[in-house]
Amino acid sequence: MGEEAAGVVANNKPFRRPLLLVLLLAVLVGSCCAAAQDEGINSKGAGGRRRRRTSRRRTSAAAAAAAPLMVPITILKSAVDAGAVCMDGTPPAYHFDPGSGAGNNSWIVNLEGGGWCNNVRACQFRKTSRRGSSDLMEKELPFGGIMSSSPTDNPDFYNWNRVKIRYCDGASFAGEGFDKENGFYFRGQRIWDATVRHLLSIGMSSADKVLLTGCSAGGLAVILHCDEFQAFFQPTTTVKCHADAGLFLDAVDVSGGRSLRSYYSDIVAMQGVAPNLPPACTARLDTTSCFFPQNVIDGIKTPIFLLNAAYDVWQIQESLAPNGADPSGAWRACKSNRSACDTSQMMILQDFREQMVATVRGFSGSRSNGLFINSCFAHCQSELPATWSNAAGGSPAIQNKGIAKSVGDWYFGRAEAKAIDCPYACDGTCRHII
């Protein structure tokens, strides 16, 4: 196995081939709703503060625990004047739950994830969905995990001002262009800029602490925009970033090709992403390479925490063994059920993990950065109650420290938080999804 990244905590149990142990699939069970009640809260929209009604649903679970807070949508109509629009030309949107008490002057800004589009067919489909039109977005979204309002589930951030910026462009908030023939607005960069400036105008400019976070395509957006985000604030503001499941690797697929590189190349070209990529990267590499986090993370100056599953399920299914690279279907069973992987397939998955570990080696050398790479078959772990907090039934952990505790320790400087898990299948705390 490859050497673990310098300066990180790692479990040291050896991996043995062939695989001797298969962990049981963790089942995430949702609670049914027994009742709902409305609770008035102060909320800020495009025109300033106003009263809004926010519903809380109560579960009938045995513990009678509260379900995630349902937070209403705000349509940012004023952004249209700046050309900041979704793919179909509708205004961008966000969800906002105000802070309280000691968290009143602290902010979390979450960038929603949800894939990308790289050609006319894919973008047309996206344009006619909630991923491309604010007209089709949910009117309320649950705030769970790192966005939770529960002090039990989210003790470090529960009372902060919490914002989720909706994702409706298709290039991780980085595109700039217009396809007149097909009516596609590629305005992700403008949405990012206009929405952050709006949040600054309604109180975020005076924040003491801020955290930019996101998952999947939103996690990639965090990596691309982290230093831009820091530049919006005064030097006295603590600004940090947290990218969950955003460490997409420029990996060789099972056919020997580079499926994700080809896909990303199309996105960058179609949506005019190049001018908005980190200049420190584009000064030395081609633009497609600079859409891959592995070529960006070492140059980020703002403190950033990377949370990723070493066996990222999306990357296994869409980058390592996509259907186009596996015409015989040899990987079909393995990529939907880890217990169906044979010895040779598991060796490839272990090599993928080693590539991820090698990718963060230089990154982990910075004292200001944080890291949690666990050996789970998962994708996005910070926004789900079951994987974020021990209070929700057992967060995945490395050396007995879970995800929420690790991120909190890093943000507040309570302890170093750089951990890389032992190879699969030694970790019994995982919440696998395949």
Side-chain angles (χ1 to χ4, degrees), residues 5 72 129 140 164 172 181 187 232 239 279 307 325 353 374:
S129 76
E140 291 183 320
K164 179 180 283 290
S172 288
E181 180 179 353
R187 299 290 174 78
F232 282 111
V239 182
L307 165 62
R353 171 195 174 271
N374 59 352

Side-chain angles (χ1 to χ4, degrees), residues 95-107:
H95 300 250
F96 173 46
D97 186 40
S100 62
N104 194 51
N105 211 31
S106 300
W107 291 68

Side-chain angles (χ1 to χ4, degrees), residues 177-198:
F178 176 61
D179 181 338
K180 184 176 181 180
E181 180 179 353
N182 294 290
F184 298 148
Y185 291 88
F186 299 127
R187 299 290 174 78
Q189 182 71 27
R190 297 196 202 189
I191 291 172
W192 153 259
D193 187 75
T195 309
V196 171
R197 291 184 185 279
H198 167 72

Side-chain angles (χ1 to χ4, degrees), residues 250-370:
D250 187 5
V252 176
D253 63 39
V254 295
S255 72
R258 291 186 181 269
S259 295
L260 190 56
R261 169 166 279 273
S262 176
Y263 182 58
Y264 274 6
S265 178
D266 291 343
I267 295 166
V268 169
M270 183 177 190
Q271 299 206 36
V273 172
N276 301 316
L277 294 170
C281 181
T282 55
R284 59 188 178 85
L285 295 173
D286 64 90
T287 53
T288 298
S289 294
C290 293
F291 203 60
F292 279 99
Q294 67 195 67
N295 299 315
V296 176
I297 55 175
D298 288 352
I300 297 174
K301 297 179 175 60
T302 307
I304 183 169
F305 189 104
L306 298 181
L307 165 62
N308 229 95
Y311 309 93
D312 186 289
V313 169
W314 188 93
Q315 293 190 66
I316 291 171
Q317 295 176 344
E318 303 297 336
S319 174
L320 190 63
N323 292 339
D326 180 37
S328 69
W331 277 79
R332 187 174 298 120
C334 173
K335 67 184 184 180
S336 61
N337 180 0
R338 69 191 187 284
S339 65
C341 299
D342 61 29
T343 301
S344 63
Q345 289 170 330
M346 189 55 67
M347 290 177 66
I348 291 172
L349 294 176
Q350 297 295 0
D351 288 342
F352 180 82
R353 171 195 174 271
E354 288 190 10
Q355 182 180 346
M356 185 172 291
V357 170
T359 293
V360 300
R361 185 169 290 121
F363 169 89
S364 67
S366 170
R367 293 176 60 87
S368 65
N369 291 336

Side-chain angles (χ1 to χ4, degrees), residues 27-29 145 381 383-390 392-396 429 431:
V27 180
L28 304 180
V29 180
Q381 300 177 89
E383 297 179 19
L384 298 174
T387 48
W388 171 247
S389 171
N390 284 332
S395 165
T429 69
R431 296 293 187 102

Side-chain angles (χ1 to χ4, degrees), residues 8-12 372 397-402 419-421 427 429:
V8 303
V9 177
N11 289 340
N12 294 314
F372 191 101
I398 301 177
Q399 293 198 343
N400 299 317
K401 183 185 286 191
I420 294 179
D421 211 352
D427 188 344
T429 69

